[in-house]
Amino acid sequence: YAQNNMLDFVFAVDDSVTWHMMNLLKNRSHYSFLKVFGPKQISSIQSYGAGIYYNTLVPCNGRMIKYGVIGTDTLIDDLLHWKTLYVAGRLQKPVKILTQNDNSKLQAALVSNLKSAVTAAFLMLPESFSEEDLYMQIAGLSYSGDFRMVIGEDRLKVQNIVKPNVPHFQKLYSNILQDCPQVVYKHHLGRLEIDKSPEGQFTQLMALPRTLQQKITSLVDPPGKNRDVEEVLLQVAHDPDCGFVVHQG
């Protein structure tokens, strides 16, 4: 990283009120005027939106940093269901995990999030694509859904995330790709091929996080019809515009 880039940390904490209480005692200057409201109020502000509270422009060891604080349960919820995709989207890209408790639920949720990212990307990619195409698509998820729709500055951002970091993306995703029955990796061509049959797409749609399934259902199913999610996803799986519908969702 360039020396002048702000370094971005995220702390997952089990008990936000206690954490902010301790942090206010140690690092009061990190907080904006909100510090006057105390730890309870800060924690309740944290629960809005993406469920993360940021202290920003904090000088640390000659660098500028910012750090977000998120409840472990909120993080797990986002990783599993893509409630907001805010922190889940960041964790689909290579990040350095500095320290981690033996929380098996969190561990499983981190892997689940990566699998979901691969599944969503598959639905929006053609039958054959390169590994870099896949990582571009995954990195684009948290911007607009579909990398091919990303334009201008955001497109450059996505390319800058992926191009220098392909080995890191490989490290993150290679096990998942190896274990995935729906993809064939043609190493000599550097191409991946996926099952684009309606059956294949239905399997992928059924594996997507709940929030995305619900969004897709409400896009396709006019209000009042109230068909169940599975029925709607089966219809989407047969639609030639399936990838676009997933992108919209």
Side-chain angles (χ1 to χ4, degrees):
Y1 278 107
Q3 208 44 39
N4 52 2
N5 275 5
M6 203 183 322
L7 215 46
D8 189 348
F9 293 87
V10 172
F11 302 130
V13 304
D14 293 345
D15 176 352
S16 298
V17 177
T18 306
W19 195 91
H20 284 298
M21 189 170 77
M22 314 271 287
N23 199 39
L24 278 162
L25 291 171
K26 267 178 95 166
N27 300 305
R28 200 167 172 81
S29 63
H30 293 184
Y31 289 81
S32 67
F33 72 95
L34 290 172
K35 57 176 159 274
V36 301
F37 295 121
K40 274 214 173 89
Q41 201 54 44
I42 289 169
S43 299
S44 72
I45 290 165
Q46 182 180 307
S47 65
Y48 288 105
I52 187 164
Y53 175 91
Y54 260 98
N55 278 333
T56 184
L57 293 170
V58 175
C60 177
N61 294 346
R63 292 285 301 266
M64 273 301 178
I65 69 162
K66 58 177 174 171
Y67 59 91
V69 182
I70 187 168
T72 310
D73 292 342
T74 308
L75 174 59
I76 289 171
D77 204 31
D78 196 35
L79 291 168
L80 292 178
H81 306 303
W82 289 7
K83 209 70 169 285
T84 69
L85 198 56
Y86 184 77
V87 182
R90 287 165 175 239
L91 293 170
Q92 290 159 4
K93 306 173 185 77
V95 298
K96 184 149 181 61
I97 295 185
L98 296 172
T99 170
Q100 198 175 352
N101 294 354
D102 293 331
N103 183 330
S104 54
K105 256 178 86 176
L106 178 57
Q107 197 48 54
L110 286 163
V111 176
S112 169
N113 178 43
L114 298 179
K115 285 183 177 166
S116 298
V118 168
T119 306
F122 281 174
L123 282 158
M124 293 187 283
L125 283 159
E127 203 165 345
S128 167
F129 49 88
S130 73
E131 208 173 344
E132 196 172 294
D133 292 337
L134 172 66
Y135 302 142
M136 290 287 222
Q137 191 70 292
I138 288 171
L141 284 176
S142 43
Y143 285 92
S144 83
D146 184 346
F147 179 68
R148 288 161 304 181
M149 307 278 175
V150 178
I151 49 166
E153 195 185 327
D154 277 350
R155 192 183 178 94
L156 264 172
K157 244 188 219 170
V158 174
Q159 281 171 332
N160 290 342
I161 290 168
V162 175
K163 284 202 186 295
N165 286 309
V166 167
H168 295 295
F169 274 96
Q170 280 169 329
K171 216 169 136 186
L172 208 50
Y173 287 102
S174 63
N175 284 353
I176 289 169
L177 293 174
Q178 272 159 11
D179 296 342
C180 177
Q182 288 188 308
V183 66
V184 178
Y185 191 9
K186 304 201 163 174
H187 279 278
H188 57 294
L189 297 170
R191 308 287 295 170
L192 296 134
E193 283 184 9
I194 44 171
D195 179 2
K196 278 294 188 189
S197 69
E199 297 76 22
Q201 297 199 130
F202 180 61
T203 306
Q204 290 162 358
L205 288 162
M206 288 299 288
L208 289 174
R210 192 172 59 205
T211 310
L212 182 50
Q213 288 180 338
Q214 287 162 347
K215 290 260 196 269
I216 291 167
T217 305
S218 59
L219 280 170
V220 176
D221 206 31
K225 273 260 218 43
N226 292 332
R227 291 181 299 160
D228 68 2
V229 170
E230 198 166 330
E231 210 181 319
V232 176
L233 294 182
L234 189 58
Q235 179 194 325
V236 174
H238 284 81
D239 187 334
D241 286 331
C242 173
F244 184 69
V245 177
V246 174
H247 157 60
Q248 292 295 96

